[in-house]
Amino acid sequence: MSRSRLVPGVEVVAVPGRGLAVRTADGEFLGIRARDADEDALLSLLSGAAAAPADGELGRVVRAFHGAGYLTDGQQHPKWPAARRDVRLLGEPVLTEPLALHLAALGAEPRTTPVRTAPDTSSTKTGDLLDGNPAAVVWCLDGPVPDGLWDAADRLPEHGVAWLRCHREGWQAYVEPLAAVPGDVTAAHVRARRLAATPAHRELAAYWSGPRTSGAPVRLTAPAAGLLAALLADDLGRWATGAPETAGLPARRRLRCVDLRNLTVTEHPVLPVPAVAPMPKQDG
């Protein structure tokens, strides 16, 4: 067998009087039944220092680790593919600036549109967002989403462009699912699902439409903006590199709410809203 290494987050520990145990990526401990296998040799194999034998007890244990997903012989950090490096960022600099830094560190090539020239509700067309042939468009708002602002952007997946966004409503910020292909969850879908899930749907719709009266403004702190930017960059990086989902809900079916008072993140499943069939015409 070829050499393999434990995947990040998986570790093996020697427990006095009980042999070896594996600590999984979820933080659970599982005992290793290695029978009469040499523990030092097993640790050497699991660390990738030596190739595992094709048969025998050591080979059996290593194959079990492979089957459980605890070992890898592939690249740990896949590179951001060139075809998906061009990422267009729109919105508030308090969010787009840290996001651009995260994306550049991951291997993308972000292009930031200053907020003063970002498309507005009345003039945005899908063609405007496709200018320069970006692989993805990310739009960050430090406030609620005005009616119609993201209608044109919701059509980006139909043109093969990934679409990701976030916005803030008071002390709550929302990181919406990444939409990469037709049929993925759009901003309009999230809006409809949120209205359907609350008994205060009239109030929520009125809040979105405005006007709103506020006291002292909520200001995004650097840690809060950094957290939102990190969540967006991670979602985009997983899409770009095809990294597998490791925990929680799938990124393209997940709405995350960040409580900006304590930076608590909660996840909510969200599905596309099926198209409504037109009412049949009645005779007469």
Side-chain angles (χ1 to χ4, degrees), residues 157 181-186 189 253 272:
V181 297
D184 275 350
V185 178
T186 65
H189 294 160
R253 296 293 186 267

Side-chain angles (χ1 to χ4, degrees), residues 95-245:
L95 290 165
T96 59
E97 288 176 0
L99 177 55
L101 292 175
H102 285 315
L103 292 175
L106 291 172
E109 297 176 356
R111 292 188 289 126
T112 303
T113 299
V115 66
R116 63 181 180 274
T117 59
D120 59 32
T121 306
S122 61
S123 64
T124 304
K125 294 181 173 59
T126 306
D128 298 331
L129 300 171
L130 293 171
D131 183 47
N133 297 316
V137 171
V138 187
W139 204 329
C140 304
L141 292 181
D142 186 17
V145 185
D147 285 334
L149 179 63
W150 285 346
D151 288 353
D154 271 349
R155 304 195 59 138
L156 287 170
E158 300 172 18
H159 298 268
V161 176
W163 163 225
L164 185 60
R165 61 268 175 203
C166 75
H167 68 281
R168 179 182 62 78
E169 298 176 8
W171 284 115
Q172 289 72 45
Y174 293 88
V175 178
E176 300 196 3
L178 183 143
V181 297
D184 275 350
V185 178
T186 65
H189 294 160
V190 171
R191 220 164 166 92
R193 293 293 188 187
R194 288 186 59 196
L195 287 173
T198 176
H201 56 90
R202 295 180 183 85
E203 291 81 358
L204 181 57
Y207 174 78
W208 287 337
S209 300
R212 296 174 295 273
T213 301
S214 302
V218 173
R219 299 193 182 279
L220 278 176
T221 64
L227 173 59
L228 292 171
L231 293 175
L232 292 166
D234 185 69
D235 281 352
L236 204 61
R238 290 182 182 279
W239 160 78
T241 61
E245 300 287 345

